[in-house]
Amino acid sequence: QPLSTYGLGWALRDARLRGCPKLSVIHFDNCFNLSTEVLHTVAPYADAADGFANYTFFTAGEAYALAFEQLGAQGQYSSLALAKQLSLATHELLKKPGDGYPAVGGALALNRMEGIADGIEALSDALILLMQRDGNAARDLIQAAIVKAQNYDTDFPQELETPDQLTDIYSLANALLDFAAKDLGVVTAAKALCGLLNEVRVFGDVGHPAMAPQFEWNFAETTLAMNIFLPDPL
């Protein structure tokens, strides 16, 4: 069975307490783990991580040789450089003609996650204050921003739309910048969070997923970073 997010964090903490060295890179080679909650949980136990905000399709170790070959050719040997190359090498495997696996991948140094979490909290506080002040009008504005933001589908029929479970936090913060004429607190917090999430995205595809070819998944937006749990806004 897969580990829960809590279970993964507990296992990594336990390993460190037993004397295992801090990990250089965690390569999340599975679906939906370029995730705010997951990355924040593992941040104390590794230097960098890469993963995929929506679906990916397990490639086992097939990407490793290509990643190390590309890393050697560049002559860059940092943890973050390896994380980016693992993301790109997996992407090379996923974008083979006919596979139909459009994905969005990213990588980051995990010491960024504490600041990102603080930025999300500041934005949450600003949104709560807005709702306390303006009630249903604020709720409708926030809901419109959620609908505008990039969503990642976890269930059939696989159309990227609300209602859904996961939303890109960078895309949502960017959508909330439209509040410029409505609430300075929200805009200030959203702008700060956008700055904290910049350059996490490594690639974003546009294509038709094999399991639902009637839909196009478009991850070309540059303001993508990682998903966050955000259930049906209704």
Side-chain angles (χ1 to χ4, degrees), residues 137-151:
R139 181 206 63 191
D140 292 344
L141 288 171
I142 294 166
Q143 184 171 309
I146 294 169
V147 171
K148 182 179 177 181
Q150 176 68 65
N151 295 280

Side-chain angles (χ1 to χ4, degrees), residues 173-196:
N174 189 58
L176 290 168
L177 295 178
D178 289 344
F179 279 43
K182 305 171 185 73
D183 190 86
L184 180 60
V186 170
V187 171
T188 300
K191 190 176 293 184
L193 183 55
C194 285
L196 291 165

Side-chain angles (χ1 to χ4, degrees), residues 57-114:
F57 295 83
F58 188 57
T59 56
E62 191 178 354
Y64 296 175
L66 178 59
F68 280 106
E69 180 183 325
Q70 292 171 336
L71 194 68
Q74 290 183 6
Q76 298 181 22
Y77 305 111
S78 69
S79 299
L80 179 57
L82 175 56
K84 288 181 178 178
Q85 287 304 322
L86 285 165
S87 178
L88 290 168
T90 304
H91 184 224
E92 286 296 314
L93 298 174
L94 294 178
K95 71 178 186 179
K96 292 176 182 175
D99 283 351
Y101 298 151
V104 53
L108 76 161
L110 286 171
N111 61 10
R112 295 175 61 180
M113 286 309 302
E114 184 176 358

Side-chain angles (χ1 to χ4, degrees), residues 80 84 106-109 112 116 168-171 173-174 190-202 221-226:
L80 179 57
K84 288 181 178 178
L108 76 161
R112 295 175 61 180
I116 290 169
D168 193 285
I169 186 61
Y170 190 178
S171 180
N174 189 58
K191 190 176 293 184
L193 183 55
C194 285
L196 291 165
L197 292 164
N198 194 30
E199 296 185 349
V200 172
R201 176 185 177 273
V202 172
E221 181 185 342
T222 57
T223 53
L224 301 178
M226 59 186 72

